[in-house]
């Protein structure tokens, strides 16, 4: 009886403390493949995101936020566990996430928080550590998605981004316990390939010319082979489905008629024009960029609806709102779509945090931060101690406007999924505030970029004798980071183990 009572008290005690201390809620708004170049608060010259921008105006914008492994499932696993891919086991999109391991939602749940997850999960195993979850199956379609809960799988009619917003609002309004703090993860599928816009944005940007990025016609000279042997160019690798020359297959009659009304005339105009060469590249870029941006319009609208609800309900004052993406994205930079590389546009990711009363409105921070830091940050905000095996660093001091002297000076990155989609070779590397050293280890080839003189990363200076000293320093730093993060000398057995696990 004594034992039972102690269990009862130990499980109730945190709830009491949490309620009395008024710990904040966390709302994690998460997109998939959202380029920072497509957020107006980050200086986009291609679109406006007034609702996401609210978080920059009312909170902090991180100018140097990065990921550890620029691809969907691995990024999500890093965020949940606070550990690099080689330790959490999710090296590529192919593995099944080991939900038995420690995650920040589990720790918050144990400490009196209610935990909820809505939208894209993409980790194959069912979510663990959540009181409520409703997720897409795998990648999920843009229209009429089946969604899974702990009890059932049900197909929902509508546009997926809007549905994820609705389910999130429904949980906030009706499903949560108002006496308990929460962490709610609202995770969109958009703007992931193949960029199918929602009904209300099918004609947005018609007649508008979206500016092309500086490196759309990159010729991949002055770098090693990998940049030229990938398969993610707008010019050669977009399919007819990507370009919407074929309509989506799973639309309702009403949705199909809206789609045909929007794309029928656009596609006829394209066929009539008979484009080729650079004119065709221009057309493909416009078609691709507009559909991508249209998808973001629905995400931004959803963010606005949720922020409005926080205001109306009185939750806003005690809720930390975070906006981020699982990685960055090439919106035509280097001629590409997709991600995976340690090159800047996919290595970086948006990160905006609004914490009323703590974070200075309209502030910017240029410290090096990483998705590796999110778990420890969320635990810190909620007053829960992070386990020592987590590898990130809480960014709470930065959110409080402090300037810690011992903040990290460099970032570690490693990408594993090769052979794989888009043929990006495995690589690892180090980035400081001024330079980036990348090692394509399957080829034993190095690239070095001077980010101050060459921010678009068009010219590797690895073989330039003027950079010999910096190159040696960065190699030493890379070794230090690999040792700090316990990266095995040879990571190939990890991939083989993961492959074997998949077939087991
Ligand atoms: Ca992604």
């Amino acid at each position: 009886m004594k034992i039972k009572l102690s269990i009862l008290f130990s499980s109730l005690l945190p709830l009491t403390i949490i309620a009395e201390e008024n710990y904040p809620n966390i709302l994690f708004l998460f997109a998939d493949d959202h380029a920072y170049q497509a957020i107006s608060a980050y200086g986009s010259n291609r679109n406006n995101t007034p609702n996401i921008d609210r978080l920059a105006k009312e909170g902090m914008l991180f100018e140097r936020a990065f990921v550890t492994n620029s691809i969907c499932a691995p990024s999500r696993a890093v965020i949940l566990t606070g550990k690099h891919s080689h330790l959490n086991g999710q090296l590529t999109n192919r593995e099944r996430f080991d939900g038995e391991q420690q995650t920040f939602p589990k720790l918050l749940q144990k400490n009196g928080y209610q935990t909820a997850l809505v939208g894209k999960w993409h980790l194959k195993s069912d979510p663990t550590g959540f009181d409520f979850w409703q997720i897409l199956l795998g990648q999920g379609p843009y229209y009429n998605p089946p969604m899974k809960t702990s009890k059932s799988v049900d197909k929902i009619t509508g546009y997926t981004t809007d549905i994820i917003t609705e389910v999130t609002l429904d949980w906030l309004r009706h499903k949560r316990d108002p006496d308990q703090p929460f962490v709610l993860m609202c995770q969109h599928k958009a703007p992931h390939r193949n960029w199918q816009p929602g009904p209300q944005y099918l004609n947005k940007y018609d007649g508008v010319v979206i500016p092309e990025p500086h490196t759309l016609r990159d010729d991949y000279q002055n770098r090693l082979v990998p940049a030229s042997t990938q398969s993610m160019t707008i010019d050669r690798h977009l399919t007819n489905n990507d370009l919407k020359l074929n309509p989506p297959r799973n639309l309702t009659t009403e949705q199909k008629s809206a789609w045909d009304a929007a794309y029928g005339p656009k596609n006829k105009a394209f066929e009539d024009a008979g484009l080729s060469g650079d004119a065709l590249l221009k057309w493909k870029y416009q078609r691709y960029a507009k559909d991508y941006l249209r998808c973001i319009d629905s995400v931004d609208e959803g963010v606005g609806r949720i922020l409005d609800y926080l205001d109306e309900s009185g939750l806003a004052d005690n809720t930390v709102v975070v906006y981020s993406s699982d990685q960055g994205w090439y919106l035509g930079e280097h001629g590409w779509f997709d991600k995976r590389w340690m090159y800047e546009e996919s290595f970086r990711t948006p990160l905006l945090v609004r914490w009323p009363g703590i974070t200075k409105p309209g502030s910017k921070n240029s410290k090096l931060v990483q998705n590796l830091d999110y778990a420890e940050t969320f635990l810190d905000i909620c007053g829960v101690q992070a386990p020592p095996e987590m590898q990130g660093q809480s960014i709470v001091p930065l959110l409080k406007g402090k300037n810690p002297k011992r903040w990290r000076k460099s970032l570690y990155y490693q990408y594993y999924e090769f052979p794989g989609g888009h043929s990006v070779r495995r690589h690892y590397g180090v980035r400081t505030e001024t330079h980036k050293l990348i090692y394509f280890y399957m080829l034993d080839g190095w690239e070095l970029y001077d980010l101050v003189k060459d921010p678009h990363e068009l010219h590797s200076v690895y073989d330039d004798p003027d950079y010999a000293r910096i190159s040696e320093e960065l190699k030493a730093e890379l070794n230090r980071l690999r040792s700090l993060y316990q990266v095995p000398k040879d990571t190939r057995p990890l991939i083989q183990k993961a492959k074997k696990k998949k077939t087991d």
Side-chain angles (χ1 to χ4, degrees):
M1 191 62 193
K2 259 185 178 174
I3 296 168
K4 275 185 187 166
L5 271 176
S6 74
I7 291 170
L8 185 68
F9 280 119
S10 70
S11 65
L12 288 176
L13 195 60
L15 283 173
T16 320
I17 293 169
I18 292 279
E20 280 175 5
E21 294 285 333
N22 201 23
Y23 279 101
N25 309 304
I26 294 181
L27 173 60
F28 183 62
L29 301 169
F30 197 49
D32 190 324
D33 297 353
H34 192 170
Y36 61 84
Q37 312 92 290
I39 294 178
S40 34
Y42 276 90
S44 170
N45 63 350
R46 293 179 260 197
N47 66 335
N48 277 306
T49 48
N51 296 297
I52 296 170
D53 288 7
R54 267 185 71 186
L55 297 175
K57 284 191 197 111
E58 297 164 10
M60 183 174 275
L61 178 148
F62 286 83
E63 295 171 310
R64 289 193 181 125
F66 294 85
V67 296
T68 64
N69 181 359
S70 178
I71 186 167
C72 305
S75 173
R76 286 149 206 272
V78 167
I79 288 169
L80 290 167
T81 63
K83 291 178 180 174
H84 277 279
S85 308
H86 60 274
L87 292 184
N88 69 41
Q90 193 77 41
L91 294 120
T92 72
N93 276 342
R94 295 169 190 147
E95 296 91 30
R96 191 179 178 82
F97 180 66
D98 170 14
E100 295 293 308
Q101 62 190 307
Q102 190 61 280
T103 62
F104 84 83
K106 284 186 186 176
L107 287 164
L108 291 179
Q109 194 181 39
K110 272 184 205 149
N111 281 277
Y113 269 75
Q114 50 192 325
T115 55
L117 162 74
V118 178
K120 184 175 167 182
W121 171 247
H122 202 248
L123 289 169
K124 295 188 181 171
S125 54
D126 281 349
T128 52
F130 292 95
D131 300 316
F132 171 85
W133 53 271
Q134 186 162 0
I135 57 171
L136 299 174
L137 301 180
Q139 192 59 252
Y142 268 103
Y143 280 84
N144 312 321
M147 289 189 84
K148 186 178 184 183
T149 65
S150 57
K151 296 188 184 75
S152 62
V153 177
D154 299 297
K155 188 172 167 182
I156 305 181
T157 303
Y159 185 58
T160 300
T161 304
D162 298 340
I163 291 167
I164 291 169
T165 299
E166 287 294 342
V167 174
T168 300
L169 285 168
D170 183 59
W171 187 84
L172 282 168
R173 283 190 180 115
H174 306 299
K175 293 206 166 82
R176 70 188 178 91
D177 172 357
D179 296 327
Q180 223 184 323
F182 63 81
V183 56
L184 168 59
M185 304 176 82
C186 165
Q187 308 199 152
H188 287 290
K189 168 207 171 58
H192 192 280
R193 189 184 188 186
N194 56 1
W195 322 293
Q196 292 174 4
Q200 62 275 49
Y201 296 107
L202 291 168
N203 290 103
K204 189 163 179 187
Y205 307 109
D206 282 0
V208 172
V209 178
I210 307 293
E212 292 177 356
H214 179 72
T215 57
L216 180 62
R217 291 168 187 79
D218 193 347
D219 60 6
Y220 314 118
Q221 297 299 300
N222 307 310
R223 273 149 286 171
L224 293 176
V225 167
S228 61
T229 56
Q230 41 58 43
S231 52
M232 58 169 78
T233 64
I234 290 170
D235 200 16
R236 290 179 291 125
H237 300 108
L238 287 176
T239 65
N240 283 354
N241 285 345
D242 291 332
L243 292 165
K244 317 295 158 11
L245 295 169
N246 303 326
R249 285 190 190 152
N250 62 335
L251 302 183
T252 62
T253 310
E254 192 186 345
Q255 289 163 349
K256 182 154 191 326
S257 116
W259 189 279
D260 289 344
Y263 283 92
K266 294 180 205 179
N267 291 347
K268 184 166 186 319
F270 165 66
E271 280 164 21
D272 290 349
L275 303 173
S276 63
D278 195 66
L280 182 56
L281 169 65
K282 275 176 175 288
W283 180 84
K284 284 183 180 179
Y285 168 75
Q286 291 297 324
R287 173 60 65 97
Y288 154 63
K290 287 178 186 181
D291 284 339
Y292 179 87
L293 298 174
R294 288 168 181 140
C295 290
I296 289 170
D297 283 311
S298 289
V299 173
D300 188 65
E301 182 189 304
V303 168
R305 289 183 61 198
I306 293 169
L307 293 182
D308 286 349
Y309 176 72
L310 294 184
D311 289 340
E312 290 157 19
S313 61
L315 282 167
D317 285 348
N318 199 33
T319 301
V320 180
V321 183
V322 179
Y323 187 86
S324 191
S325 170
D326 59 350
Q327 9 65 213
W329 182 256
Y330 298 96
L331 189 46
E333 293 83 4
H334 300 292
W336 296 335
F337 61 93
D338 212 70
K339 57 262 183 176
R340 299 162 194 268
W341 302 96
M342 198 189 169
Y343 303 133
E344 208 68 356
E345 291 84 357
S346 60
F347 183 23
R348 259 181 85 180
T349 197
L351 177 62
L352 301 138
V353 184
R354 185 182 79 178
W355 190 355
I358 302 288
T359 301
K360 192 179 164 198
S363 53
K364 289 188 177 180
N365 192 292
S366 60
K367 288 269 191 285
L368 295 171
V369 301
Q370 223 165 4
N371 61 347
L372 187 68
D373 302 329
Y374 295 2
E376 278 165 83
T377 301
F378 297 157
L379 293 170
D380 196 3
I381 289 171
C382 302
V384 175
Q385 181 140 24
E389 60 271 19
M390 283 190 174
Q391 298 183 308
Q393 208 168 343
S394 165
I395 66 168
V396 165
L398 310 182
L399 294 170
K400 288 181 173 172
K402 292 183 181 155
N403 184 19
K405 281 184 188 148
R406 289 168 59 83
W407 198 258
R408 68 163 71 85
K409 302 279 187 242
S410 64
L411 300 168
Y412 182 72
Y413 180 87
Q414 186 154 5
Y415 172 79
Y416 299 89
E417 197 176 293
F418 183 89
H422 303 289
S423 299
V424 173
R425 302 281 182 150
R426 293 180 203 172
H427 56 289
Y428 61 75
V430 56
R431 187 204 196 278
T432 64
E433 291 188 359
T434 53
H435 293 84
K436 187 184 292 178
L437 181 73
I438 308 176
Y439 184 44
F440 290 94
Y441 50 100
M442 298 169 87
L443 309 166
D444 191 23
W446 296 87
E447 289 182 350
L448 172 63
Y449 294 96
D450 182 333
L451 301 173
V452 179
K453 289 185 182 162
D454 178 26
H456 297 298
E457 299 167 305
L458 295 172
H459 193 112
S460 170
V461 290
Y462 183 74
D463 294 324
D464 183 336
D466 288 348
Y467 285 86
R469 189 182 54 81
I470 186 81
S471 172
E472 287 312 305
E473 284 171 8
L474 286 172
K475 280 184 183 172
E477 181 61 6
L478 189 54
N479 286 335
R480 188 189 72 81
L481 290 174
R482 283 172 63 82
S483 163
L484 173 72
Y485 293 130
Q486 305 157 46
V487 187
K489 211 166 193 175
D490 183 359
T491 49
R492 282 172 303 180
L494 292 178
I495 302 259
Q496 278 154 13
K497 198 174 144 201
K499 272 188 191 161
K500 188 170 177 301
K501 215 170 161 189
K502 196 192 160 206
T503 54
D504 282 349

